[in-house]
């Protein structure tokens, strides 16, 4: 803490100097504090050392030079900014910090999972089941959520989530509870399931008890650095806070990095190797038009652009085709996502099912699950944790799948941002909020293995074990980098009603396409995405065959006869769906003869066939 005379003496201004006395006239009780005060100087130096290990070119600012004026009366703030702006060569910038707030609250047994559409297959959601089916659940990943408050005792959150710093404000219980549930909701028999339910969450509040507004704003930057000190390379720091701004005369919200203190804090944290996921803000601000001290600091590619290295997240609509989240409420007000070239990617900003209650935030078994629009969780508050969960699953996939060459181990901030902002790794969204990630595309592009989800529908139980058939398929496709994962299995009762006609199924030929009964059968795709393969087990086929891969072009799938199938029939039929034709070779999986007559097991898939499969999967 410094008084005005102490500050003046430190920079060579003695009492009586007009620059000093102008400030004194505006605020006789002038007191400043260091903005970065949550870590000691030694701890800050250690953090800078970690950053320079990752990037030797990183040059930190002088952290002790970042100061904030303690509790100035609102009427004199603008005058103080102008007076300190005259300290040329001493004060680089003086500014009124924007007001921070929570971003506007605008296969499993979990009963609400079916309503978590943001998790469903693309183009609707992020296709999280593809990552789950590959074995990813967020194990050995951790993140810190930085905001103001959380109901940490909610029944669907991991017990014992630690509050590392700050005050847990009851006013924000509903907000923080929803955010944590989207990432870390337990995979149990209650409520929702989080994107990375095995990840390790921690929380930090930028609000202390009895904070005045100025102190609260100043603590955001310091708490960012403090939070990162508990994280490792590749962990995630989630910033669930936004700042009030005015853009082209219209009030809105912007990402918190527009504050120079926060920008430097994020830049340090990113250099250490921590991935920062930052809400873009709400109320539809055009970030390309935002200016700080006359400079367009958020306009990517412009001369004034400053890149903190964070992943900035916008919100999109729940409906397909996705657009920037922009909803008109019955009272005539709008809820919308901020947007611009600085926004890297997006996820649902509306109709997000989550933990907690907005109206009674202390209820431990409450959920924001509709049906009314206003009852869901909304805004970039909702989209940001979806991206955080995505980052955590990608890090887990790095540990359990072969990554692409040169991309070993946990990913750093730049690589993660490239993956999530790449149009080829996501679903397109209009409105300048970036793409929405799609795990099917991410696995295909970023890992040496490609995951193909399959969904099993059992109308008749085969004599050969289904698990064995799937294992055999992976025996031939796995070495090629193609991993078949069973995303769901359903037994369908066909004893009564119209479904009995599927037990003995009339199938079409390659020339005729699917029969009417096949078309009806292939409508039974509950839980499957548009590119997932559905496998139907029926008793017999007419004409007699072990299986058929004839399917509607928009509903990929195969039918397997339980009466005639061999242990390699499923693999053979999946080969057809993946784009392979017959060959005259009794050692090849795609033999034109019966798979029961295969020799030299396991059967072969050639390099050319593998290339054809990858070309089809990536199309």
């Amino acid at each position: 803490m410094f008084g005005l005379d102490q500050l003046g003496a430190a920079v060579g201004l003695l009492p009586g100097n007009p620059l000093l006395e102008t400030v004194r006239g505006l605020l006789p009780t002038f007191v400043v504090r260091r903005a970065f005060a949550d870590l000691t100087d030694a701890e800050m130096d250690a953090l800078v050392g970690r950053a320079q290990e990752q990037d030797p070119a990183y040059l930190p600012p002088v952290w002790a030079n970042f100061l904030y004026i303690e509790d100035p009366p609102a009427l004199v703030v603008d005058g103080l900014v102008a007076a300190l702006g005259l300290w040329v060569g001493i004060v680089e910038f003086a500014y009124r910090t924007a007001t921070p707030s929570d971003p506007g609250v605008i296969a499993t047994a979990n009963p609400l999972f079916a309503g978590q559409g943001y998790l469903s297959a693309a183009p609707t959601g992020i296709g999280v089941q593809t990552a789950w089916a590959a074995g990813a659940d967020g194990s050995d990943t951790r993140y810190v959520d930085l905001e103001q408050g959380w109901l940490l005792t909610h029944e669907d959150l991991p017990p014992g989530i630690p509050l590392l710093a700050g005050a847990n404000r009851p006013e924000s219980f509903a907000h923080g509870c929803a955010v944590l549930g989207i990432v870390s909701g337990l995979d149990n028999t209650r409520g929702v399931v989080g994107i990375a339910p095995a990840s390790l969450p921690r929380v930090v509040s930028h609000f202390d008890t009895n904070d005045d507004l100025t102190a609260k704003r100043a603590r955001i930057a310091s708490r960012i650095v403090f939070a990162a000190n508990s994280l490792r390379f590749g962990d995630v720091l989630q910033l669930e806070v936004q700042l009030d701004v005015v853009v082209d005369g219209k009030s809105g919200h912007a990402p918190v990095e527009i504050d120079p203190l926060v920008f430097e804090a994020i830049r340090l944290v990113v250099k250490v190797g921590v991935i920062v996921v930052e809400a873009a803000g709400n109320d539809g601000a055009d970030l390309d038009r935002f200016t700080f001290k006359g400079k367009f600091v958020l306009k990517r590619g412009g001369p004034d652009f400053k890149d903190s290295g964070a992943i900035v997240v916008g919100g999109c609509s729940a409906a397909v085709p996705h657009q920037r989240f922009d909803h008109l409420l019955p009272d005539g007000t709008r809820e919308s996502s901020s947007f611009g070239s600085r926004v890297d990617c997006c996820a649902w900003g509306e109709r997000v099912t989550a933990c907690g209650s907005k109206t009674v935030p202390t209820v431990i078994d409450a959920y924001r699950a509709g049906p009314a629009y206003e009852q869901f969780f909304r805004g970039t508050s909702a989209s940001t944790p979806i991206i955080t969960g995505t980052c955590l699953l990608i890090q887990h996939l790095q540990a359990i799948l072969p990554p692409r060459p040169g991309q070993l181990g946990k990913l750093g901030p730049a690589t993660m941002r490239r993956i999530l902002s790449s149009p080829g790794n996501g679903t397109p969204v209009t409105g300048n909020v970036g793409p929405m990630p799609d795990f099917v595309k991410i696995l295909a592009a970023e890992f040496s293995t490609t995951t193909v989800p399959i969904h099993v529908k059992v109308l008749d139980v085969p004599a050969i074990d289904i698990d064995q058939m799937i294992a055999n398929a992976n025996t031939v496709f796995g070495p090629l980098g193609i991993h078949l994962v069973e995303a769901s299995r359903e037994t369908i009762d066909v004893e009564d009603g119209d479904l009995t006609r599927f037990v003995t199924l009339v199938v079409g030929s390659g020339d005729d396409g699917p029969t009417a009964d096949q078309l009806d059968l292939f409508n039974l795709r509950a839980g499957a995405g548009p590119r997932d393969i559905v496998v139907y087990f029926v008793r017999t086929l007419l004409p007699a065959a072990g299986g058929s891969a004839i399917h509607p072009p928009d509903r990929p799938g195969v039918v397997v006869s339980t009466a005639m199938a061999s242990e390699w029939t499923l693999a053979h039929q999946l080969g057809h769906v993946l784009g392979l034709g017959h060959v005259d070779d009794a050692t090849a999986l795609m033999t034109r003869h019966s798979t029961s007559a295969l020799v030299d097991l396991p059967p072969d898939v050639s390099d050319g066939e593998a290339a054809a499969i990858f070309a089809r999967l990536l199309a």
Side-chain angles (χ1 to χ4, degrees):
M1 182 174 66
F2 305 91
L4 183 58
D5 289 335
Q6 289 173 289
L7 179 64
V11 297
L13 298 179
L14 299 178
N17 186 295
L19 295 176
L20 208 61
E21 297 309 317
T22 300
V23 173
R24 195 189 313 276
L26 291 166
L27 187 61
T29 58
F30 180 96
V31 173
V32 293
R33 293 182 182 271
R34 289 178 58 170
F36 292 94
D38 285 299
L39 295 181
T40 66
D41 289 344
E43 288 172 325
M44 288 294 294
D45 290 343
L47 202 58
V48 169
R50 288 171 58 190
Q52 291 175 332
E53 287 176 5
Q54 300 297 325
D55 182 2
Y58 170 67
L59 294 176
V62 180
W63 303 107
N65 286 351
F66 289 100
L67 306 171
Y68 70 93
I69 301 173
E70 185 177 68
D71 199 20
L75 292 176
V76 304
V77 170
D78 289 338
L80 287 171
V81 168
L84 291 168
L86 298 175
W87 293 28
V88 178
I90 299 173
V91 174
E92 182 178 358
F93 45 72
Y95 61 96
R96 177 197 288 265
T97 56
T99 302
S101 66
D102 293 328
V105 178
I106 339 199
T108 73
N110 301 75
L112 297 179
F113 172 68
Q116 292 179 264
Y118 55 94
L119 302 182
S120 61
T124 301
I126 63 172
V128 74
Q129 284 184 288
T130 299
W132 289 346
D137 60 8
S139 294
D140 195 35
T141 66
R142 66 178 69 173
Y143 70 101
V144 167
D145 179 40
L146 190 150
E147 47 182 298
Q148 296 185 17
W150 311 261
L151 179 64
L152 297 175
T153 56
H154 191 278
E155 65 169 10
D156 221 5
L157 295 180
I161 298 174
L163 172 64
L164 301 182
N168 190 1
R169 301 180 68 234
E171 299 93 323
S172 296
F173 275 9
H175 188 279
C177 183
V179 168
L180 289 177
I182 291 170
V183 182
S184 298
L186 296 172
D187 187 7
N188 51 24
T189 58
R190 297 188 296 275
V192 301
V193 62
I195 295 171
S199 60
L200 178 63
R202 302 174 180 186
V203 296
V204 169
S205 173
H206 64 83
F207 197 103
D208 278 349
T209 304
N210 299 322
D211 260 353
D212 63 82
L213 189 60
T214 305
K216 181 175 71 169
R217 287 181 288 206
R219 281 197 173 89
I220 296 173
S222 188
R223 292 284 157 81
I224 286 172
V225 174
F226 176 85
N229 203 39
S230 69
L231 295 171
R232 309 163 300 185
F233 182 92
D235 291 341
V236 177
L237 173 59
Q238 175 176 267
L239 303 183
E240 277 281 340
V241 60
Q242 61 185 9
L243 294 182
D244 293 347
V245 295
V246 176
V247 179
D248 291 337
K250 177 186 173 184
S251 296
H253 293 95
V256 71
E257 69 177 48
I258 61 171
D259 187 308
L261 274 72
V262 176
F263 177 89
E264 288 295 345
I266 294 174
R267 191 169 74 94
L268 169 62
V269 168
V270 168
K271 293 297 184 183
V272 167
V274 172
I275 296 161
V276 177
V277 179
E278 180 182 9
N282 298 301
D283 294 331
D286 182 351
L287 302 181
D288 283 345
R289 298 290 304 158
F290 169 77
T291 60
F292 179 80
K293 299 294 183 180
K295 295 184 177 181
F296 293 93
V297 294
L298 295 177
K299 187 174 183 180
R300 194 182 295 273
D304 302 324
F305 176 62
K306 297 183 67 177
D307 187 0
S308 68
I311 299 170
V312 175
V313 181
C316 70
S317 65
V320 178
H322 296 291
Q323 308 172 55
R324 177 174 65 89
F325 163 57
D326 185 21
H327 185 84
L328 180 64
L329 292 171
D331 63 2
T333 60
R334 302 199 78 90
E335 296 179 334
S336 56
S337 170
S338 295
F339 60 97
S341 58
R342 179 63 183 90
V343 181
D344 296 295
C345 57
C346 69
W348 280 28
E350 60 178 356
R351 303 186 185 278
V352 173
T353 300
C355 296
S357 166
K358 182 180 179 182
T359 54
V360 190
T362 56
V363 177
I364 65 171
D365 61 351
Y367 295 89
R368 305 184 70 164
Y373 173 87
E374 291 80 5
Q375 293 171 324
F376 290 101
F377 196 45
R378 312 188 299 281
T380 55
S381 293
S383 56
T384 298
I386 296 174
I387 298 302
T388 292
T390 299
C391 291
L392 297 172
L393 286 190
I394 291 173
Q395 293 290 35
H396 192 188
L397 289 168
Q398 282 287 120
I400 61 178
L401 294 180
R404 70 183 198 176
Q407 199 163 283
L408 299 174
K410 285 196 173 181
L411 302 178
T415 302
M416 187 67 75
R417 186 166 73 170
R418 176 193 61 75
I419 290 172
L420 295 178
S421 63
S422 171
N425 284 338
T427 300
V429 177
T430 59
N432 211 7
V433 288
M436 181 173 68
D438 174 3
F439 270 108
V440 170
K441 293 180 179 178
I442 289 171
L443 265 70
E446 303 298 333
F447 296 89
S448 297
T449 185
T450 296
T451 299
V452 179
I454 61 175
H455 301 259
V456 175
K457 310 291 184 184
V458 182
L459 289 77
D460 190 69
V461 179
I464 299 171
D465 185 66
I466 294 175
D467 291 336
Q468 183 62 54
M469 291 189 187
I470 296 173
N472 284 357
N474 274 315
T475 297
V476 291
F477 292 120
L480 307 174
I482 300 162
H483 187 54
L484 302 165
V485 292
E486 184 180 355
S488 69
R489 186 178 299 189
E490 178 186 9
T491 299
I492 298 176
D493 185 1
V494 295
E495 292 300 322
D496 300 310
D498 187 52
L499 298 182
T500 56
R501 62 194 169 102
F502 298 141
V503 176
T504 297
L505 185 71
V506 178
V507 297
S509 68
D511 296 329
D512 299 334
T515 64
D517 281 350
Q518 279 178 290
L519 290 172
D520 289 343
L521 176 64
F522 277 77
N523 283 329
L524 303 176
R525 291 181 60 85
R531 293 171 67 97
D532 297 357
I533 299 175
V534 181
V535 179
Y536 304 90
F537 285 93
V538 304
R539 187 171 303 154
T540 53
L541 303 180
L542 293 177
S548 171
I550 297 169
H551 61 273
D554 59 342
R555 284 164 283 170
V558 303
V559 183
V560 176
S561 165
T562 63
M564 294 189 63
S566 79
E567 62 178 313
W568 298 101
T569 297
L570 174 59
H572 178 94
Q573 299 302 333
L574 289 172
H576 282 312
V577 177
L578 294 173
L580 304 184
H582 282 136
V583 296
D584 284 315
D585 186 346
T587 68
L589 176 67
M590 301 312 297
T591 178
R592 66 176 63 258
H593 306 292
S594 171
T595 55
S596 61
L598 284 166
V599 297
D600 293 336
L601 298 176
D604 297 327
V605 176
S606 71
D607 291 343
E609 288 173 322
I613 292 173
F614 273 107
R616 188 179 187 91
L617 290 174
L618 296 176

